[in-house]
Amino acid sequence: MKRRPSRRRFAAALACALALAAGTAAAKDLGVRGAVWRIEEPDLLTEIEKRLASMETSGELTRMRREAVESAWARIEAPPRVAGIAPAREHGTRLFDPSVMIERDVRTAGGKLIAARGTRINPLERHPLTRALLFIDGTRPVEVDWAIAREKPSVIVLLAGRPLELMRAHGRAFFFDQGGRLARRFGLRATPSLLEAEGSFLRITEVPLEDGPESEGDRP
């Protein structure tokens, strides 16, 4: 004698059938409602060309070019002074180790190891410093005079001042420590600072100088 399915099984089967019917109804194509337009966006390059043409016609582009050139030239003539540097108040000297630690293996294109990670390299052992480095504040005439009067071969590096103006006035090269990278590398704190090679080290000497009466009001 066959057993009739229980009411619980019958209810479950009915629920499945209703769910399938609902899913089919939900997937039915109901057609289109409302107006439909194509999605169109302006071409970016075309818009840029139009904008540039408009700026060229109005003279705005010429003005922007002129301002960019003037700004760049102003930064060359008068670079921002390196922050955190003050005139030396007393004589001081210290040794600086210029060695650097290799952070990862250095290899040739063929894979040959040149320097292993963790190796310490002293650049003075490969390229001796043949000229002293004079770091000065170019806005102090006393420091400029001190650097120019030095008889031994040296390179003058400004931490403040106008390098091209000084070059024209004194007929010799004046470099500028852009962004203060060298000052940070050597831990400079005052000007003038003299850097000379001493074996595998650099000796950094701070030299205090007194401003003349005529130049005390010139400093910013």
Side-chain angles (χ1 to χ4, degrees), residues 125-182:
E125 296 174 354
R126 300 171 181 266
H127 301 285
L129 185 66
T130 57
R131 293 188 292 175
L133 300 178
L134 310 179
F135 289 87
I136 68 170
D137 180 344
T139 65
R140 296 183 69 201
V142 65
E143 293 193 26
V144 175
D145 294 342
W146 171 84
I148 293 176
R150 182 177 171 82
E151 296 180 356
K152 295 181 180 180
S154 57
V155 176
I156 302 176
V157 183
L158 300 181
L159 299 182
R162 305 171 69 91
L164 296 185
E165 182 177 299
L166 290 171
M167 191 180 304
R168 289 189 290 264
H170 299 284
R172 65 170 296 176
F174 285 80
F175 299 91
F176 199 98
D177 184 14
Q178 293 283 356
R181 295 180 61 183
L182 293 177

Side-chain angles (χ1 to χ4, degrees), residues 28-92:
K28 185 178 179 180
D29 185 359
L30 300 178
V32 179
R33 297 289 187 273
V36 178
W37 292 272
R38 293 178 58 191
I39 298 176
E40 294 185 357
E41 296 182 359
D43 181 81
L44 180 60
L45 292 179
T46 301
E47 290 300 309
I48 292 176
E49 290 176 353
K50 289 181 180 179
R51 174 60 177 159
L52 289 175
S54 175
M55 293 171 66
E56 185 75 51
T57 301
S58 65
E60 183 179 359
L61 194 59
T62 301
R63 177 184 61 78
M64 291 178 63
R65 288 170 179 161
R66 183 179 64 254
E67 290 178 352
V69 171
E70 291 175 352
S71 176
W73 188 253
R75 289 183 66 85
I76 294 174
E77 284 280 358
R81 70 167 43 239
V82 176
I85 307 295
R89 295 306 180 191
E90 59 183 18
H91 186 277

Side-chain angles (χ1 to χ4, degrees), residues 84-88 92-94 159 183 186-191 193 204 206:
I85 307 295
T93 183
R94 65 186 185 278
L159 299 182
F186 300 127
L188 301 185
R189 300 164 297 197
T191 57
S193 285
I204 302 176
E206 296 176 359

Side-chain angles (χ1 to χ4, degrees), residues 85-140:
I85 307 295
R89 295 306 180 191
E90 59 183 18
H91 186 277
T93 183
R94 65 186 185 278
L95 290 178
F96 175 83
D97 183 359
S99 299
V100 294
M101 180 77 74
I102 302 299
E103 297 181 354
R104 59 178 181 274
D105 291 347
V106 179
R107 299 179 180 274
T108 64
K112 182 180 179 181
L113 182 65
I114 299 177
R117 179 174 179 267
T119 303
R120 291 183 66 83
I121 296 179
N122 189 325
L124 292 180
E125 296 174 354
R126 300 171 181 266
H127 301 285
L129 185 66
T130 57
R131 293 188 292 175
L133 300 178
L134 310 179
F135 289 87
I136 68 170
D137 180 344
T139 65
R140 296 183 69 201

